[in-house]
Amino acid sequence: MKPRLAYVAGILAFFAFPLSAEVYRQVDAQGNVTYTDEPAEGTEAEEIKVKPVTTVTLPKLEAVREPEKLRAKVEQEGAAYDSVTFVAPGDDEAFHSGSGNVEFQVTSSPSLRKNHKYEVTLDGQPVGQSESGTVMVRNVYRGTHDAGVNIIDSDGVTVKSGETITFTIHRPSVNN
């Protein structure tokens, strides 16, 4: 990234951050619910705390357009790792989580290289990335799920995949 572009992006991010800080929930006389960044005059508005969004790096289009080059890069970088596995939860483990939060702990042999990240998938969809080996996924539905772990490079390309595990999460239902 060019220094000038980085400077402009930093300025824009600085000014955009305070603008996205507040969200209000208001109910009108007919019972309609509206979410807004400014409460309307004469209505009671409740401030809502918005949780941070999990982001996932997708492969860049340039990398996907050159499959032979991409394949060679993946083989070279993937060969550097013997394995990538889950430490927790264990395969076929069942546990209770009232909030539905699941903390995935992963490791690789050898340890993660510079510019690489662990990526956790839940039921085939990426749900989080981490360089530390810990990925917290919030509000997982109760039931049985499949989780996978990959090592991805800075372009979002998978260089090594690990074994898939299955786990069951128990949560209270509305009926209980």
Side-chain angles (χ1 to χ4, degrees):
M1 184 181 274
K2 295 181 180 179
R4 189 175 191 186
L5 183 60
Y7 178 73
V8 171
I11 295 294
L12 289 174
F14 176 75
F15 286 113
F17 180 72
L19 299 176
S20 64
E22 298 173 341
V23 175
Y24 297 95
R25 178 183 184 271
Q26 40 193 45
V27 181
D28 66 13
Q30 290 78 30
N32 299 317
V33 178
T34 306
Y35 294 91
T36 181
D37 60 347
E38 291 184 18
E41 295 283 329
T43 62
E44 255 187 65
E46 169 189 0
E47 187 174 347
I48 303 293
K49 300 292 182 198
V50 179
K51 295 179 183 175
V53 177
T54 301
T55 59
V56 176
T57 306
L58 296 176
K60 294 181 180 171
L61 190 56
E62 301 84 42
V64 178
R65 285 187 178 156
E66 300 176 11
E68 287 78 28
K69 187 177 175 183
L70 176 62
R71 197 171 295 118
K73 179 182 176 186
V74 167
E75 286 176 10
Q76 178 187 6
E77 290 185 10
Y81 296 100
D82 296 326
S83 65
V84 56
T85 58
F86 283 99
V87 175
D91 193 23
D92 292 327
E93 183 177 343
F95 55 91
H96 293 275
S97 176
S99 62
N101 295 346
V102 179
E103 182 178 273
F104 294 96
Q105 295 177 6
V106 297
T107 188
S108 62
S109 173
S111 60
L112 205 58
R113 294 174 123 191
K114 185 178 179 183
N115 295 325
H116 286 184
K117 292 181 183 178
Y118 296 112
E119 177 182 67
V120 173
T121 62
L122 187 61
D123 299 325
Q125 299 298 315
V127 292
Q129 296 173 348
S130 167
E131 293 176 358
S132 70
T134 301
V135 175
M136 176 64 78
V137 180
R138 302 189 186 291
N139 200 25
V140 177
Y141 293 120
R142 65 185 184 177
T144 302
H145 300 277
D146 294 323
V149 60
N150 305 307
I151 296 175
I152 61 169
D153 66 11
S154 59
D155 293 327
V157 176
T158 301
V159 296
K160 183 76 171 178
S161 294
E163 295 282 326
T164 301
I165 62 165
T166 301
F167 67 93
T168 302
I169 186 168
H170 299 285
R171 292 182 68 181
S173 74
V174 176
N175 298 329
N176 291 339

